[in-house]
Amino acid sequence: MTSIVIPAHNEGRVIGRLLDALLADSPSSGPDIVVVCNGCTDDTARVAAARGDRVRVVEIPTPSKHTALRVGDEHARGFPRLYVDADVVVGAADVRALTGALDADPALLAAAPGRDVPPTGCAWPVRAYYRVWQRLPAVREGLFGRGVIAVTEEGHERIAALPPLMADDLAASLAFGPGERRVVEAARVVVRPPRTWSDLIRRKVRAATSSAEFERFQAGREAGPGAAPSARTGTSDLRALLRADPELLPAVVVFAVAALAARRGARRAIRDQDFSTWLRDESSRQ
């Protein structure tokens, strides 16, 4: 049986749309859906429980995504297993496409859906930023930044061994080699971007902080053959985009400004080794 684990911290405004999409056009026998409400002070648990017996709700007092994922594992019933963020939207047909890809290729350990980032209601600098971000090779090919990852039982063993990291989806993506992971474009997930520039910067400060934590984790591991995998964007990536499409220049400038602002904003957290403060933008949850 396919299991879906959804960690949710104060997601009462948005979790209903995800659960409705997962439950629509899916048999009453599955998939197995577990919502782990972690440290919630809103009505997340009530909203999830209102979807009926097909959704099992587990409540824990600790506001920790990593803990919620492990608790979800304790309650989940089968594989392939999907981990889904509560603020995205992915449907039952998309789940079937992901699990079908894993079942069809024994070498494949992890898969994620293609990403749709609707720009409606976003300020123009935010739209410009995502025009660039979505074209970056690491963003196109990696499993991170999608809010959904599906794994086999063997793939689960690999990500379950990872320590608690803020950049959990990045770490999970880079835990698999190119032949072990796949973006399944036939499956789609809707990831709503922040609407305002300030919320975008909050999100990017979090990304910069979590990337620094992940790089420290990599540096502390025993050195293996070859360079450590990375998803960092370099100036060469931006130059390549401009060579392919010179009209992207204004958007690339916006992207660079956002990256610099995020780096400055993350300095204090990195200096203080504060890798637990979660800067969440609320505009994408409206």
Side-chain angles (χ1 to χ4, degrees), residues 20-220:
D20 289 344
L22 289 172
L23 293 170
D25 187 33
S26 66
S28 58
S29 58
D32 167 45
I33 301 175
V34 180
V35 176
V36 183
C37 301
N38 57 102
C40 290
T41 57
D42 69 349
D43 61 349
T44 300
R46 181 187 62 78
V47 172
R51 266 58 190 180
D53 294 340
R54 293 177 61 190
V55 178
R56 291 185 291 134
V57 178
V58 179
E59 296 186 71
I60 61 174
T62 308
S64 163
K65 182 178 181 181
H66 184 267
T67 302
L69 291 171
R70 299 292 76 85
V71 170
D73 279 334
E74 293 171 2
H75 288 80
R77 293 171 175 157
F79 290 95
R81 186 165 300 169
L82 282 79
Y83 299 98
V84 182
D85 289 350
D87 61 332
V88 304
V89 178
V90 63
D94 306 299
V95 171
R96 291 193 292 270
L98 289 171
T99 58
L102 292 175
D103 290 338
D105 186 349
L108 201 61
L109 303 182
R115 182 196 299 108
D116 295 326
V117 184
T120 305
C122 295
W124 74 263
V126 176
R127 297 196 303 270
Y129 177 91
Y130 279 99
R131 281 186 67 199
V132 174
W133 185 78
Q134 292 186 88
R135 288 171 167 83
L136 296 171
V139 173
R140 293 199 314 269
E141 299 163 9
L143 306 185
F144 61 89
R146 301 172 191 274
V148 179
I149 183 170
V151 294
T152 64
E153 190 165 4
E154 182 181 351
H156 166 262
E157 291 175 0
R158 193 173 298 182
I159 63 173
L162 293 169
L165 294 167
M166 189 183 293
D168 59 301
D169 58 344
L170 175 61
S173 179
L174 295 179
F176 303 100
E180 298 175 319
R181 67 174 187 255
R182 181 181 304 164
V183 175
V184 181
E185 293 293 344
R188 309 300 300 176
V189 61
V190 177
V191 181
R192 286 178 168 78
R195 294 189 176 189
T196 68
W197 177 255
S198 60
D199 277 308
L200 172 65
I201 297 304
R202 284 173 62 83
R203 185 180 287 194
K204 301 321 294 181
V205 168
R206 185 183 75 209
T209 305
S210 61
S211 293
E213 180 193 26
F214 178 69
E215 288 169 358
R216 290 188 180 192
F217 160 69
Q218 284 186 310

